[in-house]
Amino acid sequence: MFSLNSYSTKAQVLDAVQALGSIGGELANVGLALDFVVENHFTRAGGSRVEEGVPQVLVLISAGPSSDEIRDAVIALKQASVFSFGLGAQAASKAELQHIATNDNLVFTVPEFRSFGDVQEQLLPYIVGVAQRHIVLQPPTIVTQVIEINKRDIVFLVDGSSALGLVSFNAIRDFVAKVIQRLEIGQDYIQVAVAQYADTVRPEFYFNTYPTKREVMTAVRKMKPMDGSALYTGSALDFVRNNLFTEAAGYRAAEGVPKLLVLITGGKSLDEVSQPAQELKRSVIMAFAVGNKAADRAELEEIAFDSSLVFIPAEFRAAPLQGVLPGLLAPLRTLSGTTEVHVNKRDIIFLLDGSFNVGKTNFPYVRDFVMNVVNSLDVGSDHIRVGLVQFSDTPVTEFSLNTYQTKSDLLAHVRQLQLKGGLGRNTGAALSYVHDNHFTEAGGSRIRDQVPQLLLLLTAGQSEDSYLQAANALARAGILTFCVGTSQANKAELEQIAFNPSLVYLMDDFSSLPALPQQLIQPLTTYVSGGVEEVPLAQPESKRDILFLFDGSANLVGQFPAVRDFLYKVIDELDVKTDRTRIAVAQYSDDVRVESRFDEHQNKPEILNLVKRMKIKTGKALNLGYALDYAQRYIFVKSTGSRVEDGVLQFLVLLVAGRSSDRVDRPALNLKQTGVVPFILQAKNADPAELEQIVPSPAFILAAESLPKIGDLQPQIVNLLKSVQNGAPTSVSGEKDVVFLIDGSEGVRSGFPLLKEFVQRVVESLDVGADRVRVAVVQYSDRTRPEFYLNSYMDQQSIVGAIRGMTLLGGPTPNTGAALDFVLRNILIGSAGSRIAEGVPQLLIVLTADRSGDDVSGPSVVLKRGGAVPIGIGIGNADITEMQTISLIPDFAVAIPTFRQLGTVQQVISDRVTQLSREELGRLRASLVPVTSPGKERILWLFIP
């Protein structure tokens, strides 16, 4: 067709598109096509400008499911950091397109091709958003696959007679290859054998000929027709029973593995099939029959194990056979006949939400759910082992994998389970706990014996701590995490925690739980890891040296474990390597004790092990000035591993829990002059005025409500340490009035805590004060409620406290237009604290998770004319076109797929608020013209007929 560098003008591209013609063909090999564009188009030779940082966009247009495997190609797309869109028509598989697309929101389906015009207006803003980098989508760091261990031995018996013809034989051969490609082939999984027949039978290979799928596929693709003169199906069936389903041919008789036969024939048999068919059934060989119009349907039904296992495509050609594939694959994978298949050994841990959010009235449903699952398992020390952990603020082991040897003893314990209780829900900490304490040899796990390891998480709400690192660690270890969510559980969060999104089960309420085991038993007893692929992020953290200098004085006595745990979790989220992020740790009181220099403990496990064993230094005095001077002279130097002379960013994370016993002004100045960027964690009796001497602006001080709650600052400090690229986030200089307009409708309920956290983080990056930055917050749905005005609070701490105390407004629909009008009339006025009359910039940050229930264009125009500077942030179902209409300029609009991604745009929004000075806004308003070009991008359209 043409490449990214074939044409240089829009007119040439349009002419080339209009000249396109269908290439024809019966198959739609999407996987092959995706591989092709990655290898030939998203490259410098293909005209790609990926090395210049230009966004790479793929638009896939398809009319049906793929004829080949797509998994490896999808991984290649993600590794190439390509933004993928999926457009489906007719029989296109939406699930398949969602697997290919970068995000579910980037998939559009219509019933027929002529309807594609209807999605043009929806698609274009997303492509523009990607091109202008307003749509921020973090690629997954881990791509997983689940396969089912459902042992079975399958024989394909293929018509090789001359009457069939070469074209039909080749179509059958390719069909058999497609079926095998979709099966989990291996000596411990599914084994296949293939034979041709006509007047005689010719085995192509036996069950034990080829151990891998690759070898099997190669052998199938090399098959040539045997060209026999007659078709003796009856004797061929006898041959299969007597010569292929034998131990000598590799059949696993001792394991009782199900026996399946797939007969593909193009004519009526010349010999009797009734007796051979009966013998197949007596031998519990489950036969499938695939025949064309020349075959005898009654004969096929007599051979088949059941009439539902007879398939008659219109002809032996690729497309009709492709239509048979889904109906044949499902029973081929699941039929077991009357034989007993020995369950594979496995270790299963139940991780149950035991917080007060579950409640004592609902916990019996949880207990019944566990009992129903366990009752269906083959529990025993040599079969399936089961452990159970409850968690809330902290996890507690009820019993380990090696505690009980019998099902009756285990169930007796489960019957006595009581709700643990606790206000918090630290899912991340619980995931780490089971990984470190239960999926180990000491915890009764047989992980070293290659026994499948499974975790079943049941939770009633969102996690209150970071969980992604722990979930990824479980996935890397090959542990299959299943997630069951009830009540307020967040689907997006559970899909990130689960080993694979297909292992997430959502229930409307607790009373539905006891029925769920019917769906769970098969995957729990047959699924194993199908592989874990690491997909590196396109832009990893740059090099940085970080010193954690923590108060180790008497101020921390009794509370040091909480601080140590906080430090552990922060470091665990950083890219700790010799050539990436180096860590140093020290404590101070009257003097300084260095726990680890930059050139010691240079990998994450070593430094985390050190932190885990740290003891409080103690000391009565708190000589903060001395500690700063020591850090500058003896830690931020080349001889201890610092790369300060190489221009690597130098960060200081300072915990202060009291007033300094010495002066800090001179040491603080010296530290700043060396280029070290300080962040301060303020706790207990620390003096804010003293701390402000150390940092460039109060925005660099993060205040902890109390030392036990210092963990609340973890996401914030991690985000700063990862995202700051140029020495420090620029603090807001000058006067500004900043209003947050927040969607408070019912659709936001599950994400409201993350919305509040986002607003809090942005506020904490601002230079708040009566003569500097003022802040107001307004909630809206079908009505509007001011939380506080621009003159309600004049210090950062009070504003943060008010944000934390906010509750959801509620209401069915976000009427964004009416809310914009309310802000202009009631918030951006002098009596409400606005300094609009003095020319102070009026910034309005709009956060919404749905399309507006009313018109936004009119109120947006009036708002901008009134002097406001709107910035639109759309989450989930929000319309990016609306966000661009609301924003001062389309460039200001941002779209993210879920509330969890708010943290990824916090720095962007903070920087935008920081940099919008009066002068900059004046230039923007003077140059406002309609946007005619979406920006610099490369878009590749991939049509799959």
Side-chain angles (χ1 to χ4, degrees):
M1 300 302 175
F2 56 88
S3 299
L4 292 167
N5 54 0
S6 297
Y7 304 111
S8 56
T9 68
K10 183 188 288 186
Q12 290 173 318
V13 172
L14 290 174
D15 288 344
V17 170
Q18 288 174 341
L20 285 175
S22 174
I23 61 172
E26 295 181 327
L27 302 180
N29 291 327
V30 177
L32 185 66
L34 295 176
D35 274 333
F36 181 84
V37 297
V38 170
E39 293 172 8
N40 296 278
H41 288 275
F42 289 116
T43 61
R44 176 184 279 184
S48 167
R49 296 170 292 176
V50 65
E51 294 173 6
E52 301 169 35
V54 175
Q56 309 289 289
V57 179
L58 171 72
V59 181
L60 169 68
I61 301 177
S62 177
S66 177
S67 304
D68 63 351
E69 282 293 314
I70 63 171
R71 177 179 177 268
D72 291 344
V74 171
I75 291 173
L77 272 178
K78 295 180 189 298
Q79 288 173 330
S81 297
V82 175
F83 282 85
S84 305
F85 293 74
L87 273 65
Q90 297 177 354
S93 166
K94 186 172 184 180
E96 186 173 88
L97 291 176
Q98 288 174 331
H99 183 52
I100 295 167
T102 305
N103 183 268
D104 288 358
N105 291 337
L106 307 185
V107 172
F108 306 87
T109 55
V110 292
E112 52 189 5
F113 282 107
R114 71 181 67 182
S115 305
F116 268 143
D118 299 340
V119 301
Q120 178 182 334
E121 290 184 5
Q122 300 174 53
L123 174 66
L124 189 58
Y126 278 100
I127 293 179
V128 172
V130 171
Q132 296 181 336
R133 298 171 175 84
H134 305 320
I135 295 180
V136 181
L137 295 171
Q138 289 290 343
T141 56
I142 290 182
V143 179
T144 58
Q145 182 189 28
V146 176
I147 64 174
E148 185 176 0
I149 290 186
N150 213 349
K151 290 184 179 181
R152 50 204 50 238
D153 290 341
I154 305 171
V155 172
F156 291 87
L157 180 61
V158 176
D159 184 340
S161 65
S162 55
L164 191 66
L166 183 61
V167 173
S168 292
F169 179 83
N170 288 344
I172 292 171
R173 181 192 62 201
D174 293 344
F175 173 72
V176 171
K178 281 199 198 76
V179 174
I180 293 172
Q181 188 179 48
R182 285 161 170 77
L183 299 175
E184 292 74 50
I185 303 298
Q187 292 170 320
D188 293 322
Y189 307 134
I190 295 174
Q191 294 186 154
V192 294
V194 177
Q196 281 191 66
Y197 83 102
D199 47 355
T200 60
V201 178
R202 185 176 81 192
E204 296 289 338
F205 54 87
Y206 298 94
F207 293 123
N208 52 7
T209 306
Y210 301 116
T212 68
K213 181 186 287 190
R214 182 186 296 274
E215 293 171 298
V216 169
M217 294 288 291
T218 300
V220 170
R221 288 177 175 141
K222 288 180 178 179
M223 279 170 53
K224 305 290 185 188
M226 60 186 289
D227 284 336
S229 58
L231 199 64
Y232 293 109
T233 307
S235 62
L237 296 177
D238 282 336
F239 181 93
V240 167
R241 178 171 55 84
N242 294 323
N243 297 279
L244 296 184
F245 284 113
T246 64
E247 290 190 66
Y251 169 61
R252 294 168 287 185
E255 298 180 51
V257 171
K259 297 174 280 190
L260 295 97
L261 167 66
V262 180
L263 168 69
I264 306 176
T265 185
K268 183 174 172 59
S269 177
L270 294 178
D271 65 350
E272 179 61 39
V273 301
S274 298
Q275 187 63 31
Q278 287 299 317
E279 291 299 327
L280 285 179
K281 292 182 174 70
R282 273 195 276 275
S283 301
V284 201
I285 296 172
M286 292 164 283
F288 294 62
V290 182
N292 62 5
K293 288 182 178 178
D296 186 315
R297 184 181 189 100
E299 186 176 271
L300 297 182
E301 289 182 351
E302 189 172 11
I303 294 168
F305 186 72
D306 184 85
S307 60
S308 65
L309 304 181
V310 174
F311 304 89
I312 302 182
E315 57 182 335
F316 285 152
R317 294 290 187 273
L321 283 168
Q322 177 73 26
V324 167
L325 195 59
L328 181 137
L329 271 173
L332 195 63
R333 283 189 170 123
T334 58
L335 271 181
S336 58
T338 58
T339 60
E340 179 186 349
V341 183
H342 299 303
V343 175
N344 292 291
K345 296 178 180 181
R346 45 196 56 222
D347 297 334
I348 303 175
I349 296 288
F350 288 87
L351 181 58
L352 306 180
D353 182 345
S355 68
F356 287 134
N357 297 291
V358 173
K360 291 186 177 180
T361 56
N362 288 319
F363 194 71
Y365 293 122
V366 175
R367 195 167 49 216
D368 290 348
F369 163 75
V370 176
M371 290 186 66
N372 288 350
V373 173
V374 172
N375 263 319
S376 303
L377 300 176
D378 184 17
V379 175
S381 59
D382 292 327
H383 299 286
I384 295 179
R385 296 183 184 179
V386 176
L388 194 147
V389 175
Q390 279 197 69
F391 75 100
S392 53
D393 312 81
T394 57
V396 171
T397 297
E398 294 287 346
F399 51 87
S400 298
L401 290 166
N402 53 3
T403 303
Y404 296 112
Q405 311 302 312
T406 67
K407 184 187 292 188
S408 58
D409 289 343
L410 193 152
L411 288 173
H413 188 133
V414 174
R415 286 189 194 98
Q416 302 302 315
L417 273 183
Q418 299 297 317
L419 184 73
K420 173 185 182 297
L423 296 174
R425 187 189 292 106
N426 291 326
T427 311
L431 294 172
S432 295
Y433 177 83
V434 295
H435 181 251
D436 295 342
N437 296 280
H438 287 273
F439 291 110
T440 61
E441 209 167 354
S445 166
R446 293 166 291 179
I447 192 167
R448 290 189 179 178
D449 299 330
Q450 308 303 311
V451 171
Q453 306 289 293
L454 293 87
L455 172 66
L456 180 55
L457 167 68
L458 189 152
T459 183
Q462 292 187 172
S463 176
E464 294 175 14
D465 64 350
S466 60
Y467 56 83
L468 194 55
Q469 292 276 350
N472 285 348
L474 287 166
R476 288 188 186 100
I479 296 163
L480 261 66
T481 303
F482 290 69
C483 292
V484 177
T486 63
S487 188
Q488 300 298 316
N490 182 284
K491 181 184 178 186
E493 176 177 296
L494 296 185
E495 287 181 345
Q496 287 186 307
I497 292 173
F499 182 82
N500 185 278
S502 64
L503 305 183
V504 172
Y505 301 80
L506 293 176
M507 310 301 288
D508 292 332
D509 51 50
F510 286 94
S511 62
S512 307
L513 275 175
L516 181 60
Q518 296 174 14
Q519 300 176 49
L520 270 173
I521 291 305
Q522 183 173 331
L524 274 176
T525 54
T526 62
Y527 283 11
V528 295
S529 167
V532 179
E533 295 282 345
E534 295 281 345
V535 180
L537 296 176
Q539 294 180 331
E541 301 165 35
S542 61
K543 295 179 180 180
R544 53 203 64 214
D545 296 337
I546 306 172
L547 167 62
F548 292 91
L549 182 58
F550 278 24
D551 185 338
S553 70
N555 295 318
L556 273 288
V557 171
Q559 296 172 318
F560 188 73
V563 171
R564 183 177 56 206
D565 186 51
F566 164 74
L567 176 59
Y568 184 100
K569 290 178 179 177
V570 170
I571 294 174
D572 194 31
E573 293 204 40
L574 300 175
D575 185 20
V576 181
K577 293 175 186 170
T578 306
D579 59 345
R580 306 297 300 169
T581 298
R582 294 185 185 177
I583 302 293
V585 179
Q587 292 186 63
Y588 71 99
S589 52
D590 39 12
D591 58 2
V592 174
R593 183 175 81 195
V594 177
E595 305 284 351
S596 178
R597 309 186 324 175
F598 288 121
D599 55 2
E600 299 175 319
H601 307 100
Q602 291 190 339
N603 62 60
K604 189 180 291 186
E606 287 184 6
I607 190 70
L608 289 178
N609 188 44
L610 174 121
V611 170
K612 193 186 294 185
R613 293 184 287 104
M614 268 173 54
K615 306 292 185 187
I616 188 171
K617 176 184 182 300
T618 69
K620 293 183 178 179
L622 191 69
N623 292 326
L624 179 53
Y626 172 84
L628 294 174
D629 183 65
Y630 186 97
Q632 181 207 334
R633 291 172 180 269
Y634 303 110
I635 302 179
F636 287 113
V637 291
K638 186 176 181 179
S639 59
T640 63
S642 167
R643 294 166 291 180
V644 63
E645 296 179 12
D646 300 327
V648 172
L649 293 172
Q650 305 289 293
F651 289 152
L652 168 65
V653 180
L654 183 66
L655 171 66
V656 186
R659 185 185 295 271
S660 179
S661 305
D662 61 355
R663 292 179 63 90
V664 303
D665 49 354
R666 176 55 59 184
L669 179 61
N670 292 339
L671 193 69
K672 289 176 189 174
Q673 289 173 345
T674 63
V676 174
V677 181
F679 296 99
I680 298 181
L681 307 170
Q682 174 191 331
K684 292 182 73 173
N685 300 318
D687 181 359
E690 187 174 77
L691 302 184
E692 286 180 14
Q693 297 179 58
I694 301 170
V695 294
S697 133
F700 293 75
I701 301 174
L702 310 179
E705 187 176 331
S706 65
L707 280 173
K709 292 190 175 181
I710 193 170
D712 294 346
L713 300 179
Q714 178 192 337
Q716 205 172 334
I717 191 66
V718 168
N719 181 58
L720 288 169
L721 293 174
K722 284 184 173 182
S723 61
V724 173
Q725 300 293 334
N726 57 354
T730 312
S731 78
V732 174
S733 57
E735 300 168 311
K736 289 187 180 72
D737 293 338
V738 180
V739 179
F740 292 89
L741 180 60
I742 302 174
D743 181 351
S745 64
E746 280 301 321
V748 174
R749 183 172 294 279
S750 64
F752 193 63
L754 293 171
L755 262 185
K756 291 200 301 181
E757 183 182 344
F758 171 80
V759 174
Q760 177 183 329
R761 289 190 198 175
V762 174
V763 168
E764 287 172 335
S765 74
L766 305 179
D767 188 14
V768 176
D771 58 349
R772 299 188 299 277
V773 177
R774 298 183 183 180
V775 177
V777 175
V778 178
Q779 261 197 89
Y780 77 99
S781 55
D782 54 345
R783 58 194 187 278
T784 310
R785 181 177 79 192
E787 297 293 338
F788 52 88
Y789 296 90
L790 290 165
N791 54 3
S792 297
Y793 304 110
M794 293 302 170
D795 65 281
Q796 192 178 84
Q797 195 165 354
S798 299
I799 292 172
V800 167
I803 292 167
R804 286 177 175 164
M806 280 167 33
T807 57
L808 186 76
L809 173 63
T813 309
N815 290 331
T816 309
L820 294 173
D821 184 63
F822 179 92
V823 168
L824 180 63
R825 295 174 183 274
N826 299 278
I827 305 297
L828 302 183
I829 55 176
S831 60
S834 169
R835 295 166 289 178
I836 191 169
E838 303 165 34
V840 172
Q842 307 288 291
L843 276 65
L844 173 63
I845 301 173
V846 181
L847 294 117
T848 183
D850 210 342
R851 294 173 185 267
S852 177
D854 60 358
D855 174 61
V856 301
S857 55
S860 297
V861 171
V862 175
L863 189 72
K864 294 171 199 175
R865 285 178 183 164
V869 181
I871 298 170
I873 302 174
I875 306 152
N877 294 326
D879 186 341
I880 188 173
T881 306
E882 274 187 8
M883 295 299 97
Q884 292 174 328
T885 300
I886 292 169
S887 299
L888 180 68
I889 56 174
D891 276 6
F892 281 7
V894 176
I896 53 176
T898 69
F899 290 100
R900 281 282 168 199
Q901 273 72 49
L902 277 168
T904 67
V905 298
Q906 183 256 315
Q907 195 65 46
V908 174
I909 299 303
S910 294
D911 289 346
R912 185 154 286 160
V913 172
T914 298
Q915 295 159 8
L916 284 174
S917 62
R918 296 189 196 202
E919 296 75 17
E920 178 64 20
L921 286 172
R923 285 194 295 273
L924 277 174
R925 288 198 170 98
S927 61
L928 281 181
V929 294
V931 177
T932 57
S933 172
K936 190 179 184 185
E937 59 186 323
R938 290 297 200 202
I939 302 176
L940 186 62
W941 298 78
L942 182 56
F943 296 85
I944 303 294

